[in-house]
Amino acid sequence: MAQYTSLPSPRGRPRSFDIDAAIKRAMDVFWSSGYHGTSLPDLLEATRLSRGSLYAAFGDKHGLFLRALDRYIEDALARLDAELDSSRSALAGLRACLAGYVDRTSGVNGKRGCLVVATTMELSAQDSEVNYRIAKFFRTFEARLTAALTRAQETGELAEGVEPASAARLLVCLVEGLRVVGKTSPARATTQAMVETLLDRLTG
């Protein structure tokens, strides 16, 4: 549901705008240009806010970036939950998850890359607030894959000797690595074959 905020206008009347829409527009700019490559004028143009409104709502550029990063992570985890839906078999969920990453690392989507990966490389080492969010995202991602792989193990879908937590860590490294390699526009068939090979090893 959209959230709205009211700020005083120069004449004292409340001015309302859609905070969710502003965050989404800012997220798209940061995603395309990176944190340092995005200027305040870029954000003002994208969000359609005045400088005063932007600062009143988000504090500053960094505050807006954190909100945008949170939004990106929320979207990524919601998509993951949909793909790993417990109403389907664990293996089907894992296949859906990996198929989604193949799509997101192919063609135009692949060239755009991943905001989490780009932010990790650009800011995580020197920005504790960003690093906290990125680390938490990877822990959550790994935990949800571990749960799915444990279900697969319980139903006999996992190959003998495969340990769910270790396999989950491997999958996180694979898919995030695919987001990096996707920037170089590899052939979709190559990425698909890589994913299928790993799945074959995990499921026997």
Side-chain angles (χ1 to χ4, degrees):
M1 178 182 296
Q3 300 175 15
Y4 292 85
T5 187
S6 294
L7 300 169
S9 71
R11 296 182 181 180
R13 292 177 301 178
R15 183 194 322 170
S16 298
F17 66 88
D18 185 336
I19 279 210
D20 285 347
I23 292 171
K24 174 63 168 61
R25 294 183 188 116
M27 182 185 77
D28 288 338
V29 176
F30 285 125
W31 192 354
S32 296
S33 303
Y35 180 77
H36 292 302
T38 298
S39 67
L40 183 58
D42 293 333
L43 292 171
L44 296 177
E45 180 180 0
T47 60
R48 305 168 194 170
L49 299 178
S50 68
R51 183 185 296 261
S53 293
L54 187 147
Y55 278 102
F58 304 108
D60 55 16
K61 172 185 169 180
H62 187 258
L64 177 53
F65 178 75
L66 292 178
R67 295 288 294 276
L69 181 60
D70 287 342
R71 168 66 181 272
Y72 185 93
I73 288 172
E74 288 166 8
D75 290 348
L77 291 177
R79 183 175 58 240
L80 178 65
D81 286 341
E83 291 166 345
L84 297 178
D85 183 1
S86 59
S87 67
R88 68 170 92 187
S89 78
L91 183 56
L94 289 167
R95 286 190 179 280
C97 172
L98 293 175
Y101 272 94
V102 171
D103 287 339
R104 291 188 288 279
T105 56
S106 301
V108 174
N109 290 333
K111 290 291 287 184
R112 192 177 196 195
C114 170
L115 181 60
V116 165
V117 171
T119 299
T120 301
M121 301 300 293
E122 183 181 12
L123 296 177
S124 194
Q126 66 265 17
D127 189 319
S128 60
E129 291 181 279
V130 166
N131 186 63
Y132 171 79
R133 286 165 166 79
I134 298 293
K136 183 179 179 182
F137 167 71
F138 285 135
R139 287 196 303 271
T140 303
F141 189 5
E142 189 175 311
R144 292 183 186 179
L145 287 176
T146 298
L149 286 160
T150 299
R151 284 202 300 120
Q153 186 179 58
E154 291 169 349
T155 56
E157 295 178 295
L158 213 58
E160 186 175 351
V162 174
E163 201 279 312
S166 297
R169 195 166 301 118
L170 177 63
L171 284 174
V172 170
C173 291
L174 170 71
V175 297
E176 298 304 338
L178 288 177
R179 301 306 299 268
V180 176
V181 176
K183 298 279 285 184
T184 67
S185 300
R188 183 189 181 91
T190 300
T191 304
Q192 183 67 51
M194 187 186 311
V195 166
E196 290 295 336
T197 297
L198 181 58
L199 273 176
D200 287 346
R201 294 295 181 91
L202 293 179
T203 61

